[in-house]
Amino acid sequence: MANTVLIGQYVETHSLFHRLDPRTKLIGIFVILLSFLLLESLLSYVFATVFVAGLLILSKIPAHVVWRGLKPILFILSFTFIYHVIFTKGTVIWSWSFFELTQEGLYNGIRFVWRIVLLVLLASVLTLTTKPLTLAHGLEKLLSPLSKLNVPVEQFSLMIVIAIRFIPTIQQELDRILLAQKARGFDIPSLSLPKRVMSYIPILVPLLFTTIQRAEQLTYAIDARAYGNGRGRIRFKQQELRRIDYQVWGIAILIALIPLLLKIAGI
Amino acid sequence: MVYQLSHVSVHYSDQEALHRISCTIEEGKWISVIGQTGAGKTSFVKVLKGLVPHIEGAYTIDQQPVQRDAKGQLKVIPGIGFVFQYPEHQLFETTVHKELAFAMKHQGCSDQQIMERIQTILPLVGLPEEILSWAPFQLSGGQKRRVAIASVLMMEPKMLIVDEPTAGLDPISRTAMLQLLKSWQQQQSNRTLIFVSHQMEDVAEYSDEILLFHKGHLLGQYDPAVLFLEQPYVVEEAGLSLPEPVQLLNLFEELSGRKIEVHSIREEDIIRAIMPIWNTRSVVING
C-alpha cells in the first residue's frame, strides 16, 4: 500500500536531477507546471510531451515506476474523458438515443487527459528524484525569508518532516493489526469491497490511539532536546546552490516561456 | 499431530529470510526458537501459521500438504494460535468481551458458546470477569497482554506460537506469563507451545526442545541439556550467550577442577548440584 503513496516514491538512480538542489527542482518544476496550464495547440502539446519524456529519460527513472505512479489516477483520467465526451456540445459525429458524441467533446477529452498525465509525470520527476526529507528542507530554505515576518517557517518544516516520517510507522502499525486479525481467522483483504471498508473502521480506533500516543511521546522527546530554545537549528548537510542549479533555473524559464509564446502567436 | 517442514525457503523482495529449513515438530512439547535478531525466528513461526503466502519447499501436517488457495498461496492454518510481539498493541475492539469474542463470532458461534469459552479461558490467564465490560485501553500493560493471549486461546488451538511474550514485562509479570503458558501447555498432553525468545534462562528452564537459527539457517534441533552443556560452542557461534545457571555451573567446574553431574539444566537442579561444593568451600574458609 505504501508503494502507491506518491510521497514515498523516491528512486535512487544517480542522475543529474538527483544531484540538483531541491530548491532548483521545486522552482523549476513549479514554473513549468504553471506554463503547462497554457497548453492549447497540438504543437504545444507535442512540445510538452517531448520535454517531459526527455526529462524522465534524463532522470533514469525505470518505466514501470512511472507507470506505477500513473495507475492511481486512471480513474480520474477516465472520469475526465467521459465527462468531456458527454457534456461538450458541438458537431455530432455519432449518436445513440439521447447520447451524442461530438468532435469537440472528443477533442476536449483527449486534451484534458493528456494535460493531466503531463502534469502528474512532471510532478513525479520531483518526488522520484528527491528524498522527502530533502524536499522538506528545501521548502524550508525557500520560505526562510518569511520568518522575518514572524511566519513560523521552521516549525512548519518540522511538521512536514514529522508527518513524512510517520507514514511508514503508521503503515507498519496497520500491517501488524491486519496480520493479528488474519491470525485469528479474519482476513480483511480477502473480503468483498463493502465488507472490507466496514472492517477497516474498528481498526482505525487503535491506530489513531497509538498514533496519538506516539505523537505525545515525540513531543516530550523534542522538548527534552530543548527544541525552540536558542538561535534555531543548524543542518548537518548544507544545501548550496551551484552553477548547474542556476543554469537549470535559466533553462526552466526558457521552457516555461515556449507554451506562452506559442499561445500568444496562436500556433 | 506432526508438523513437518522440508527444505523450506522464504524470500522477502531480494533477501532470503529462511534457507532450506527442514524440521519435524511433534505435539505435546514446549519448543523454543532461538537466535540473534534477524536470524529468521519470526519468519519461521509465520511459515508454521501459514502467514507467509509464498514458500519454497514442502510443509505437511500429519503427512498432508497444507492447504493453498486458487493462486497457490499458503492458507492460514486454523488450528494454530499466534501471539505476536507486543500483542497489547493489536487490541482493536471497544470492550474486552468483544475482543475475546472476535474470532469465534466470525466462525459463527452463538453468544452462549462464546460466554462458556470465556469463562474457561479467563481463570487460565488470571483475569477477573468484571473486566469484560472495560475498554482494552483501560487495562494495564500486563493485563492487555493477557487479554491478547486469551483472545487467541479462545480458538482452542492445538499449537500456540508466542513471539517474545515476556518482552517489556517486569520480573514478576514475566514469571507469571511463563507459568500461564506452561499451565496451558500441560493441561492436555497434545498441546504444543512454540516459544520465540532471547531469554536463554527461560528457554533452559521450560523447553523440551530447541530450534537454533542463525542468519536464516536452522543450525539444529536440540535437547536443551545437550545443547547448553555438551555443545555450548554452537550457541556461541550463533552469537548467543549461555543461560546464567549454566554459566555458574561452568564457573564452579573451572574453580573446583572437577566435573559436576547434573540431571537437567533447570536452575533448581543446577543449584542443587553445586551446593555441596559451595558448602565444602565455606567449611574450608571458616575452618
Side-chain angles (χ1 to χ4, degrees), chain B residues 87-106:
Chain B
E88 60 273 23
H89 293 167
Q90 293 135 33
L91 303 176
F92 46 82
E93 284 288 9
T94 46
T95 65
V96 172
H97 182 273
K98 281 187 184 171
E99 191 69 48
L100 294 179
F102 179 82
M104 283 184 78
K105 220 166 179 185
H106 285 104

Side-chain angles (χ1 to χ4, degrees), chain A residues 205-264:
Chain A
V205 178
L207 198 61
L208 205 67
F209 186 79
T210 47
T211 308
I212 292 170
Q213 252 182 349
R214 275 170 192 269
E216 197 178 8
Q217 287 166 357
L218 193 67
T219 316
Y220 293 137
I222 290 171
D223 276 345
R225 285 193 250 170
Y227 179 81
N229 296 339
R231 286 182 57 235
R233 303 158 73 209
I234 53 164
R235 298 218 181 283
F236 177 63
K237 274 189 184 169
Q238 291 296 325
Q239 291 176 349
E240 272 176 31
L241 292 170
R242 292 169 303 155
R243 208 166 127 192
I244 182 81
D245 288 299
Y246 293 112
Q247 287 166 348
V248 171
W249 284 32
I251 294 169
I253 291 167
L254 282 177
I255 298 288
L257 281 174
I258 292 175
L260 181 70
L261 294 173
L262 286 174
K263 194 178 169 79
I264 292 169

Side-chain angles (χ1 to χ4, degrees), chain B residues 112-265:
Chain B
Q112 167 94 18
Q113 285 172 309
I114 293 173
M115 205 54 218
E116 278 171 14
R117 189 83 58 85
I118 287 177
Q119 277 161 350
T120 49
I121 298 293
L122 277 185
L124 181 69
V125 294
L127 288 171
E129 217 167 288
E130 63 253 32
I131 66 155
L132 285 175
S133 57
W134 296 9
F137 308 117
Q138 285 176 279
L139 306 173
S140 71
Q143 283 175 322
K144 277 187 199 168
R145 198 167 290 195
R146 282 158 186 268
V147 168
I149 291 177
S151 65
V152 173
L153 294 182
M154 286 288 288
M155 295 189 292
E156 294 195 317
K158 288 275 173 282
M159 179 195 270
L160 179 65
I161 299 168
V162 281
D163 196 352
E164 302 205 38
T166 55
L169 290 183
D170 62 83
I172 292 171
S173 308
R174 193 180 114 199
T175 312
M177 178 63 68
L178 291 165
Q179 287 300 332
L180 181 166
L181 295 171
K182 191 75 195 166
S183 63
W184 173 82
Q185 194 240 329
Q186 288 184 334
Q187 258 183 1
Q188 287 176 22
S189 61
N190 60 352
R191 284 184 176 169
T192 313
L193 191 99
I194 306 289
F195 178 71
V196 181
S197 182
H198 283 119
Q199 293 292 328
M200 292 303 121
E201 292 71 30
D202 300 341
V203 170
E205 190 70 24
Y206 292 94
S207 308
D208 299 312
E209 247 173 45
I210 292 174
L211 294 171
L212 176 59
F213 282 84
H214 185 53
K215 294 182 178 169
H217 293 73
L218 177 63
L219 297 187
Q221 195 165 359
Y222 301 91
D223 175 85
V226 173
L227 177 68
F228 291 128
L229 296 175
E230 293 171 23
Q231 298 177 310
Y233 52 88
V234 182
V235 180
E236 279 152 17
E237 274 170 24
L240 300 170
S241 60
L242 293 171
E244 281 178 2
V246 176
Q247 289 183 32
L248 188 69
L249 178 73
N250 291 343
L251 185 69
F252 264 73
E253 283 184 338
E254 199 183 317
L255 292 174
S256 65
R258 60 176 155 132
K259 180 92 182 137
I260 303 168
E261 285 299 321
V262 284
H263 301 295
S264 82
I265 51 161

